Amino acid sequence: MSAGRSALRMGPAELVQAAAMARRFYLEGKSKIQIAEEFGVSRFKVARVLETALERDLVRIEIRVPAELDAERSDALRARYGLRHAVVVESPAEEEDDAPDPENLGEVAADLLGELVNEGDVLGLAWGRSTIHMAAALDRLPPCTVVQLTGVYDAGTAERGSVEAVRRAAQVSGGEAHPIYAPMLLPDPATAAALRHQTGIARAFEYFDKVTVAAVSIGSWEPGISTVHDMLTDEERAHYASLGVAAEMSAHLFDTEGRRVGRDLGERCITVEADRLRRIPEVVAIAGGQRKAAAIGAVLRSGLVTSLVTDTAAADYLLTESAAPQRPALERADPDGD
């Protein structure tokens, strides 16, 4: 608190009393009723004094968040898309065109999960670089069960990928881990169906309807930015591109309006179904960068996610794009009407 020139227009008794009341209210956390009783005035008098203290610069209130967080963009993004939580972090000073999600997104998402997950929850983790970075950054989680929501990009990298992410989260929380030791994409629906019935994978799938908080990644339909895109043949990529694919999340494909396309791909994948994902109370998407901005907007319109951790580069696009979302994300509405 500081006394500016305008505050000096108050009489000395008023100035001292206002400073004392402001100290009680803003620094000591006392209620207006408690302050009124102490000074022998009405609580309405206290309210007027506090208001005057602000108007006359006797009290200065500063709202500070860590430098890497952009509170203004975060709130604007939350309101525009009807999100439960939106957290925007500063983009790297020099973002490369082909760069994956900034690693600091995972660190911030780890802190957000620490807030969202409660004891006894079931936490679901989908494959993605950002979710792997998030799991590595976790340092606190209440006791919870952790389940893998998708297969892995390559079964041979399980120790460095989503399996290890599930193990890491379970270790931090002290809860059970239910990983999936299988590739995300299989050659045909029959092979995928057979794997889903294997004991370990089937056990993980049984937890899908119990998941209360999930973390997912988003990819745009281009090389290096979409895991699914990179796993397909050139012919398959061309086929799905002809359907208007703009984004993918957990092996589900979306057009620019958030409608699901290429649903036959899901029959070949080990992943949580879209209808199950929609029923999860809290789904946090982690994605950023200019190359993913349009894809993030498409997934937000799908109604499958409730919260977003992103960066300023993507946020600026999302806040200015002309194609505003048709419905708030919190309504979990399916653009296809399914």
Side-chain angles (χ1 to χ4, degrees):
M1 289 183 289
S2 61
R5 289 185 177 180
S6 56
L8 295 177
R9 298 174 184 173
M10 300 173 67
E14 290 179 301
L15 183 61
V16 170
Q17 184 184 68
M21 288 183 176
R23 182 174 296 278
R24 302 292 193 280
F25 185 73
Y26 291 108
L27 299 184
E28 299 176 11
K30 291 188 176 182
S31 69
K32 293 174 183 176
I33 293 177
Q34 291 174 315
I35 298 171
E37 291 176 351
E38 178 182 349
F39 286 88
V41 298
S42 71
R43 62 185 177 89
F44 301 105
K45 168 70 172 178
V46 173
R48 287 196 298 272
V49 171
L50 292 175
E51 183 178 351
T52 300
L54 284 172
E55 291 175 349
R56 300 192 178 185
D57 203 26
L58 177 63
V59 174
R60 295 176 183 175
I61 298 177
E62 294 184 2
I63 300 175
R64 293 183 178 181
V65 295
E68 68 271 15
L69 298 183
D70 192 309
E72 185 175 353
R73 285 185 175 92
S74 297
D75 187 56
L77 199 60
R78 178 201 57 76
R80 180 175 174 84
Y81 287 87
L83 294 163
R84 184 173 289 117
H85 303 284
V87 182
V88 178
V89 304
E90 288 291 337
S91 300
E94 296 182 2
E95 181 183 2
E96 299 179 7
D97 290 340
D98 59 349
D101 296 317
E103 289 193 18
N104 60 342
L105 293 186
E107 297 171 2
V108 173
D111 287 339
L112 179 60
L113 278 194
E115 294 183 66
L116 299 180
V117 177
N118 296 306
E119 183 174 351
D121 276 348
V122 177
L123 171 62
L125 299 182
W127 161 266
R129 297 182 185 92
S130 55
T131 52
I132 292 170
H133 290 151
M134 179 202 68
L138 284 171
D139 59 10
R140 63 184 176 98
L141 272 181
C144 65
T145 299
V146 185
V147 60
Q148 194 169 322
L149 296 179
T150 64
V152 297
Y153 175 65
D154 180 346
T157 64
E159 293 300 318
R160 303 186 301 277
S162 47
V163 170
E164 180 56 29
V166 169
R167 287 175 174 169
R168 166 65 181 169
Q171 180 184 33
V172 172
S173 73
E176 295 182 0
H178 295 276
I180 294 178
Y181 295 96
M184 180 189 295
L185 180 65
L186 282 304
D188 53 71
T191 304
L195 278 177
R196 292 189 198 104
H197 286 92
Q198 288 190 357
T199 303
I201 298 174
R203 186 178 299 116
F205 268 63
E206 289 174 358
Y207 275 90
F208 285 1
D209 287 329
K210 303 174 184 177
V211 174
T212 50
V213 180
V216 300
S217 297
I218 296 173
S220 56
W221 198 245
E222 54 182 307
I225 310 296
S226 165
T227 300
V228 174
H229 179 282
D230 293 346
M231 288 191 289
L232 297 173
T233 65
D234 290 340
E235 183 179 354
E236 290 170 330
R237 292 169 189 159
H239 166 66
Y240 290 116
S242 71
L243 301 180
V245 175
E248 67 93 359
M249 178 182 67
S250 302
H252 300 296
L253 309 181
F254 307 88
D255 66 12
T256 57
E257 298 303 316
R259 295 184 294 260
R260 290 180 59 213
V261 296
R263 299 191 182 202
D264 61 301
L265 182 65
E267 298 175 4
R268 297 169 49 195
C269 294
I270 302 296
T271 186
V272 61
E273 300 94 328
D275 59 342
R276 280 178 160 175
L277 197 60
R278 197 181 303 279
R279 291 196 296 268
I280 297 174
E282 182 74 78
V283 179
V284 181
I286 312 163
Q290 294 180 358
R291 289 182 67 181
K292 283 192 177 182
I296 296 170
V299 172
L300 290 182
R301 281 184 282 275
S302 75
L304 290 173
V305 303
T306 60
S307 298
L308 175 67
V309 178
T310 190
D311 67 347
T312 52
D316 285 343
Y317 173 88
L318 294 169
L319 291 171
T320 57
E321 65 168 338
S322 58
Q326 297 296 315
R327 304 178 182 89
L330 284 182
E331 291 183 7
R332 311 305 292 274
D334 187 343
D336 294 318
D338 292 351

